[in-house]
Amino acid sequence: MNVFWFIPTHGDSRYLGTAEGGRAVSHDYMKQVAIAADTLGYDGVLLPTGRSCEDAWVTASSLIGETKNLKFLVAVRPGLAAPSLAARMASTFDRLSGGRLLINVVTGGDPTEQEGDGIFGTHAERYEITDEFLCIWRELLEKTHTGGTVDFDGKHLQVKGATVLYPPIQAPYPPLYFGGSSDDALDLAAEQIDVYLTWGEPPAAVAEKIKGMRERAAKRGRSLKFGIRLHVIVRETNDAAWAAADELISKLDDETIAKAQAKFAQMDSEGQRRMAALHGGRRDKLEVSPNLWAGVGLVRGGAGTALVGDPQTVADRMQEYADLGIDTFILSGYPHLEESYRFAELVFPLLPRPQKVGLPGFSLSGPLGEMVANSYVPPQRKSAES
């Protein structure tokens, strides 16, 4: 089980949908979150993309030297960047980070944002562009290991004699992650993607998605890995976790919810439509599956659900998804710095993943923990692997 965290490049908060308790984006804060995730043993971090965020590539590049093992899941935006430039950026980042780059392919689902970036194609055309972009991008990086140039004459994109001279560390290229729920998106994933991502829908819906994606990939002679994007609210007890969920939206007013839902309804993203359908903008229908809470989606686009509960409950719900075929969990929580510690300390010891000495799951003494009464060394907790 791979567990990722999240770098809040669009700001952070203790309360959703309000400026109260908000934290501005700063390099110092993003560095704190990245170092925490790296130190605590998260496998990687996702950096969001879009006009409401600081640029993901610049931010991730600034964090390479601040971290040691952390992988960075960074977005490429077909139609916004040329495939040759994107391939060079990916190769450079992968080399400079020691092979720690993962690629998140984002076609985009907000027409207003797309038009602001000079992209005016229809939903179908955006996926055609993405398909052509990835054909060029993949072949360019594959040929850094074998030599040669790339010629491509597509409906939307063309290159002649394109080349990337310096190869990435990861061969043939850094793994491609992608999420989308429309037929166009599913076909693209089956044809070109390595890890298919879903937002946090109820397990039955996720099982259906995985089954369909496996069938589409098999028809093309391919297989996929699967990941899920979720928020988490974990506390020592279930009651405390649900109280924290209520507190997260306690300062959120109905007008803000209505404005957010109206904006989401204008998007042509099937995934966003599915997220909104889980709660319908109502506060009284937020537990959409046992311990799966849709309150985040009242005002936040994209991933809008959170696993809520005590440590064992959250670990059990994660295992339910893992049993369906999910092996990568991309998590976040508010505020992201404190919640990265809380989740690691409470849930990591219960997950089927290796625990390193000195990381959450071990109660050690001296510089790695607190000595009791000046002489007593607390016993170590056993991890799920023990």
Side-chain angles (χ1 to χ4, degrees), residues 24-83:
V25 180
S26 71
H27 188 259
D28 279 347
Y29 185 65
M30 292 187 290
K31 182 170 69 174
Q32 288 181 62
V33 176
I35 291 174
D38 194 34
T39 303
L40 291 166
Y42 288 90
D43 297 290
V45 286
L46 169 67
L47 291 92
T49 186
R51 65 182 180 184
S52 64
C53 308
E54 295 285 10
D55 182 76
W57 284 92
V58 174
T59 302
S61 298
S62 76
L63 297 172
I64 290 175
E66 308 292 347
T67 54
K68 299 176 181 177
N69 301 304
L70 202 63
K71 295 183 178 180
F72 296 91
L73 182 53
V74 188
V76 295
R77 300 291 298 269
L80 186 58

Side-chain angles (χ1 to χ4, degrees), residues 84-106:
S84 299
L85 173 61
R88 290 191 191 98
M89 291 171 62
S91 184
T92 297
F93 189 105
D94 200 51
R95 288 196 316 281
L96 296 184
S97 67
R100 292 192 280 143
L101 176 64
L102 307 171
I103 297 292
N104 184 24
V105 180
V106 178

